[in-house]
mmCIF file of all heavy atoms in Angstrom:
data_model
loop_
_atom_site.group_PDB
_atom_site.id
_atom_site.type_symbol
_atom_site.label_atom_id
_atom_site.label_comp_id
_atom_site.label_asym_id
_atom_site.label_seq_id
_atom_site.Cartn_x
_atom_site.Cartn_y
_atom_site.Cartn_z
ATOM 1 N N MET A 40 -4.500 -6.341 17.157
ATOM 2 C CA MET A 40 -5.279 -5.565 18.203
ATOM 3 C C MET A 40 -5.022 -6.138 19.602
ATOM 4 O O MET A 40 -5.362 -7.318 19.855
ATOM 5 C CB MET A 40 -6.705 -5.642 17.867
ATOM 6 C CG MET A 40 -7.639 -4.842 18.763
ATOM 7 S SD MET A 40 -7.311 -3.097 18.622
ATOM 8 C CE MET A 40 -7.865 -2.729 16.919
ATOM 9 N N GLU A 68 2.103 -11.520 14.461
ATOM 10 C CA GLU A 68 2.622 -11.969 15.819
ATOM 11 C C GLU A 68 2.305 -13.303 16.080
ATOM 12 O O GLU A 68 2.058 -13.794 17.226
ATOM 13 C CB GLU A 68 2.066 -10.972 16.884
ATOM 14 C CG GLU A 68 2.314 -9.528 16.617
ATOM 15 C CD GLU A 68 1.786 -8.695 17.773
ATOM 16 O OE1 GLU A 68 0.616 -8.979 18.232
ATOM 17 O OE2 GLU A 68 2.410 -7.579 18.163
ATOM 18 N N LEU A 82 -2.171 -28.352 -4.554
ATOM 19 C CA LEU A 82 -1.922 -28.655 -5.932
ATOM 20 C C LEU A 82 -1.843 -30.141 -6.126
ATOM 21 O O LEU A 82 -1.154 -30.827 -5.361
ATOM 22 C CB LEU A 82 -0.751 -27.853 -6.525
ATOM 23 C CG LEU A 82 -0.723 -26.340 -6.502
ATOM 24 C CD1 LEU A 82 0.577 -25.751 -7.057
ATOM 25 C CD2 LEU A 82 -1.967 -25.716 -7.121
ATOM 26 N N LYS A 92 2.881 -25.039 -0.888
ATOM 27 C CA LYS A 92 4.142 -24.479 -0.537
ATOM 28 C C LYS A 92 4.316 -23.081 -0.874
ATOM 29 O O LYS A 92 3.596 -22.474 -1.658
ATOM 30 C CB LYS A 92 5.157 -25.382 -0.968
ATOM 31 C CG LYS A 92 5.327 -26.760 -0.722
ATOM 32 C CD LYS A 92 6.551 -27.390 -1.292
ATOM 33 C CE LYS A 92 6.727 -28.876 -0.938
ATOM 34 N NZ LYS A 92 7.818 -29.501 -1.601
ATOM 35 N N PRO A 97 14.230 -18.132 -8.654
ATOM 36 C CA PRO A 97 15.374 -17.156 -8.867
ATOM 37 C C PRO A 97 15.640 -16.944 -10.373
ATOM 38 O O PRO A 97 15.797 -17.964 -11.105
ATOM 39 C CB PRO A 97 16.603 -17.850 -8.144
ATOM 40 C CG PRO A 97 16.306 -19.299 -8.164
ATOM 41 C CD PRO A 97 14.816 -19.431 -8.194
ATOM 42 N N SER A 105 12.193 -1.249 -13.114
ATOM 43 C CA SER A 105 10.708 -1.517 -12.879
ATOM 44 C C SER A 105 10.206 -2.616 -13.772
ATOM 45 O O SER A 105 8.996 -2.931 -13.730
ATOM 46 C CB SER A 105 9.884 -0.255 -13.056
ATOM 47 O OG SER A 105 10.155 0.270 -14.340
ATOM 48 N N SER A 107 11.474 -6.485 -16.029
ATOM 49 C CA SER A 107 12.532 -7.487 -16.461
ATOM 50 C C SER A 107 12.013 -8.463 -17.425
ATOM 51 O O SER A 107 11.083 -9.194 -17.110
ATOM 52 C CB SER A 107 13.023 -8.168 -15.089
ATOM 53 O OG SER A 107 13.700 -9.406 -15.426
ATOM 54 N N LEU A 138 -7.048 -26.906 -12.630
ATOM 55 C CA LEU A 138 -6.420 -25.680 -12.430
ATOM 56 C C LEU A 138 -6.529 -24.791 -13.640
ATOM 57 O O LEU A 138 -5.787 -25.051 -14.720
ATOM 58 C CB LEU A 138 -4.920 -25.833 -11.985
ATOM 59 C CG LEU A 138 -4.121 -24.469 -11.619
ATOM 60 C CD1 LEU A 138 -4.925 -23.914 -10.389
ATOM 61 C CD2 LEU A 138 -2.733 -24.887 -11.246
ATOM 62 N N PRO A 165 -5.202 -13.344 -15.129
ATOM 63 C CA PRO A 165 -5.263 -12.096 -14.513
ATOM 64 C C PRO A 165 -3.881 -11.572 -14.049
ATOM 65 O O PRO A 165 -3.184 -12.307 -13.300
ATOM 66 C CB PRO A 165 -6.214 -12.314 -13.359
ATOM 67 C CG PRO A 165 -7.094 -13.554 -13.639
ATOM 68 C CD PRO A 165 -6.157 -14.401 -14.499
ATOM 69 N N THR A 176 -9.065 -13.631 -4.102
ATOM 70 C CA THR A 176 -8.504 -14.925 -3.694
ATOM 71 C C THR A 176 -8.411 -15.812 -4.931
ATOM 72 O O THR A 176 -9.124 -15.615 -5.864
ATOM 73 C CB THR A 176 -9.394 -15.607 -2.626
ATOM 74 O OG1 THR A 176 -8.687 -16.769 -2.255
ATOM 75 C CG2 THR A 176 -10.693 -15.938 -3.174
ATOM 76 N N MET A 184 9.014 -9.695 -8.954
ATOM 77 C CA MET A 184 9.494 -8.377 -8.291
ATOM 78 C C MET A 184 10.210 -7.457 -9.283
ATOM 79 O O MET A 184 10.372 -6.346 -8.973
ATOM 80 C CB MET A 184 10.287 -8.761 -7.083
ATOM 81 C CG MET A 184 9.643 -9.535 -6.019
ATOM 82 S SD MET A 184 10.345 -9.674 -4.545
ATOM 83 C CE MET A 184 10.286 -7.978 -3.954
ATOM 84 N N THR A 209 1.083 -12.142 -1.121
ATOM 85 C CA THR A 209 1.214 -13.554 -0.854
ATOM 86 C C THR A 209 -0.019 -14.162 -0.125
ATOM 87 O O THR A 209 -0.266 -15.314 -0.326
ATOM 88 C CB THR A 209 2.420 -13.826 0.117
ATOM 89 O OG1 THR A 209 2.332 -13.033 1.247
ATOM 90 C CG2 THR A 209 3.691 -13.523 -0.583
ATOM 91 N N ARG A 233 15.285 0.401 9.800
ATOM 92 C CA ARG A 233 13.958 0.304 9.035
ATOM 93 C C ARG A 233 14.284 -0.645 7.827
ATOM 94 O O ARG A 233 13.548 -1.543 7.412
ATOM 95 C CB ARG A 233 13.602 1.613 8.544
ATOM 96 C CG ARG A 233 12.375 1.573 7.630
ATOM 97 C CD ARG A 233 11.124 0.843 8.177
ATOM 98 N NE ARG A 233 9.990 0.866 7.279
ATOM 99 C CZ ARG A 233 8.837 0.145 7.453
ATOM 100 N NH1 ARG A 233 8.845 -0.623 8.558
ATOM 101 N NH2 ARG A 233 7.908 0.242 6.605
ATOM 102 N N GLN A 234 15.509 -0.409 7.235
ATOM 103 C CA GLN A 234 15.822 -1.370 6.048
ATOM 104 C C GLN A 234 15.930 -2.718 6.393
ATOM 105 O O GLN A 234 15.479 -3.623 5.563
ATOM 106 C CB GLN A 234 17.067 -0.815 5.318
ATOM 107 C CG GLN A 234 16.921 0.495 4.563
ATOM 108 C CD GLN A 234 18.188 0.996 3.922
ATOM 109 O OE1 GLN A 234 19.299 0.526 4.199
ATOM 110 N NE2 GLN A 234 18.001 2.007 2.995
ATOM 111 N N ALA A 240 11.523 -9.599 6.084
ATOM 112 C CA ALA A 240 10.317 -10.402 5.671
ATOM 113 C C ALA A 240 10.598 -11.122 4.420
ATOM 114 O O ALA A 240 10.271 -12.351 4.281
ATOM 115 C CB ALA A 240 9.065 -9.420 5.389
ATOM 116 N N ARG A 243 13.048 -13.911 5.239
ATOM 117 C CA ARG A 243 12.311 -15.034 5.973
ATOM 118 C C ARG A 243 11.533 -15.856 5.009
ATOM 119 O O ARG A 243 11.387 -17.129 5.178
ATOM 120 C CB ARG A 243 11.447 -14.499 7.047
ATOM 121 C CG ARG A 243 10.729 -15.473 7.953
ATOM 122 C CD ARG A 243 11.674 -16.494 8.600
ATOM 123 N NE ARG A 243 10.987 -17.301 9.431
ATOM 124 C CZ ARG A 243 11.300 -18.688 9.639
ATOM 125 N NH1 ARG A 243 12.509 -19.091 9.086
ATOM 126 N NH2 ARG A 243 10.681 -19.402 10.454
ATOM 127 N N THR A 249 10.645 -23.209 -0.839
ATOM 128 C CA THR A 249 11.454 -24.133 -1.592
ATOM 129 C C THR A 249 11.984 -23.442 -2.793
ATOM 130 O O THR A 249 11.252 -22.831 -3.594
ATOM 131 C CB THR A 249 10.540 -25.420 -2.041
ATOM 132 O OG1 THR A 249 10.035 -25.949 -0.929
ATOM 133 C CG2 THR A 249 11.355 -26.277 -2.948
#
Side-chain angles (χ1 to χ4, degrees):
M40 186 63 69
E68 299 178 328
L82 297 181
K92 293 182 181 180
S105 59
S107 163
L138 185 58
T176 186
M184 299 193 68
T209 55
R233 175 57 178 170
Q234 288 181 343
R243 181 60 176 145
T249 300

